[in-house]
Every structure is written in C-alpha cells, then in structure tokens.
Amino acid sequence: MEAEVPRADPEQDGLESGRRLFARPVVFVRGVAQLDQLPPAELPEIAFTGRSNVGKSSLLNALVNRRKLARTSRTPGRTQELNFFRLADTLMLVDLPGYGYARAPRARVEAWQRLLRAYLRGRPNLARALVLVDARHGPKASDRAMMELLAEAAVPFALVLTKCDLLKPAELERRLEDTRTFVRSRQGAVPEVFATSARTGAGMVELRAALARIAAETVAPGGLP
C-alpha cells in the first residue's frame, strides 16, 4: 500500500512565503521630493499611507525586522518625502508623507499634496496601497479623503489597523467588525482588514504573507515579477 502524500496547506505556504520574502535584504533607495526623482518603475510597489503619527515608519520597521530602517518620530509630519525601500529584487515599499497634520509652511504642504496626487495617479507599477488607521479611533475624515483619492486613481487599497495592542480583545474585535463593514462600502477597497501592532508584532505574519502574494501575482512594467 502506498504511503499517503501529505496535502499542501495553502495558508501555511503563504505564511512561509511571506516569512522568506521579508527575511531578505532591504535597503533605502531614496527620498523623492519631485516626480523626476522617482526610481525606475521596475518592481511592484506597495505604498504605505495614513494620518501623521499613525505609525507608518514603525510598521515598516516591524515588517522587515529592522529597528531603524524607516525613521520614526514622536513629532507628526516628520516624513516629508516619498521614501523608497527596495526589498531584494521583489518589491518596493514606499513610505508616503502623513496627512491630517501640517506643522509646515502651507506652500510646502501643498507641494507634498501635489506630489502625492501625481504619484498615485501616474505610477504604473503601484500594485497596492495600505491605508493605516489607528485602531483606537477608526477611519477619520482625512482617511476617507485618502481612500477617495486612491479610488479615483484606480489604486486598490487595504486597511491596516495599527496600535491594536492598546485595545482590549473585545474592543479590538468590535473595531475589526466595524472596519470590515466600512470597507465593504468603499470603492477600491479589498475585503481583508489587518490588525497589527508594531510593538508586539501582532499581525505582521499575515501582512507579510499578503504582500508576498501581491509580489508573486504582479509583473511591473519593467518586466520583473
């Protein structure tokens, strides 16, 4: 009698693919303040966006298991450029300027907004945006405005709840359910909602797996998978 061959577990395979991808080298490429400074569109890009101080840089650091890859600050509005990070030869991770706070001259804020809109509408290899939302508060008006901009630019996006360790389990479950209901009514939103904590590492395994899946399914204009 032949031995039974174990069946593959797609979920576990996906988690392992995410672990392997985010264990590979990641380097800072450049900060971009003007469109002509954008790196070549060779790899699929994942853009990280959210209100100032929502924890974008902390989430990026946690994803790649690096403490200081992306600069973090207690001062809202620290990220003032599009910061590009190359993950091996597979993905480009893009840390976008935070919105909803403007401790900067109005002319500079308007310049950031123009750059952001031009990037979202014109970047052919932008595969997904992650809209980070503080789990304690849920989506705010500025988050909705960003989602509308992404929908207009035909950029699919997913919601990522941050700082989930600051909620009690029952509170977090209610927030997740409310957020899943919310995204069902948003044009361009994918159904999956990620609950994360950069401090504890919660949700990082699942988020890595989702991004690895996007990388495997996307071919950028430059021809690299």
Side-chain angles (χ1 to χ4, degrees):
M1 183 176 179
E2 294 183 1
E4 183 177 347
V5 178
R7 294 183 179 180
D9 185 334
E11 181 176 353
Q12 287 301 318
D13 289 347
L15 297 179
E16 177 59 17
S17 295
R19 185 197 67 78
R20 289 198 305 268
L21 173 58
F22 281 85
R24 298 175 69 185
V26 58
V27 296
F28 174 68
V29 176
R30 68 183 67 164
V32 169
Q34 301 178 88
L35 283 180
D36 59 7
Q37 298 172 342
L38 287 170
E42 297 175 337
L43 296 175
E45 289 177 359
I46 306 294
F48 293 72
T49 186
R51 288 174 55 83
S52 294
N53 231 24
V54 74
K56 289 188 286 84
S57 297
S58 296
L59 181 80
L60 270 166
N61 289 335
L63 269 176
V64 300
N65 293 303
R66 297 274 292 275
R67 294 182 62 184
K68 297 181 179 180
L69 179 73
R71 292 188 305 171
T72 61
S73 172
R74 293 185 182 275
T75 303
R78 177 71 176 273
T79 302
Q80 300 179 3
E81 300 176 318
L82 313 182
N83 290 315
F84 286 75
F85 303 88
R86 188 182 184 102
L87 179 57
D89 288 322
T90 307
L91 273 180
M92 195 78 83
L93 310 177
V94 190
D95 188 8
L96 303 183
Y99 52 81
Y101 183 92
R103 192 177 180 180
R106 183 170 180 174
R108 183 179 300 176
V109 173
E110 290 175 350
W112 297 343
Q113 292 173 343
R114 287 194 299 271
L115 173 64
L116 178 61
R117 283 179 166 79
Y119 168 73
L120 294 177
R121 291 172 175 168
R123 193 66 168 167
N125 56 322
L126 180 53
R128 185 69 51 87
L130 302 181
V131 180
L132 276 58
V133 173
D134 190 319
R136 295 171 296 178
H137 309 303
K140 292 182 173 290
S142 54
D143 298 313
R144 293 180 175 88
M146 172 55 71
M147 294 174 209
E148 290 172 5
L149 178 59
L150 291 167
E152 291 171 7
V155 178
F157 62 90
L159 262 63
V160 178
L161 298 178
T162 64
K163 307 181 184 182
C164 289
D165 57 298
L166 301 180
L167 292 181
K168 295 178 180 179
E171 294 173 328
L172 177 57
E173 190 55 42
R174 285 196 296 272
R175 178 65 69 197
L176 269 170
E177 187 57 37
D178 290 345
T179 307
R180 291 183 183 119
T181 300
F182 171 81
V183 299
R184 284 198 286 268
S185 66
R186 307 304 300 190
Q187 180 183 353
V190 301
E192 190 171 11
V193 176
F194 299 91
T196 70
S197 166
R199 188 180 69 85
T200 67
M204 296 302 157
V205 171
E206 294 78 9
L207 187 52
R208 290 184 191 119
L211 299 185
R213 184 169 62 250
I214 293 170
E217 294 172 351
T218 305
V219 177
L224 293 176

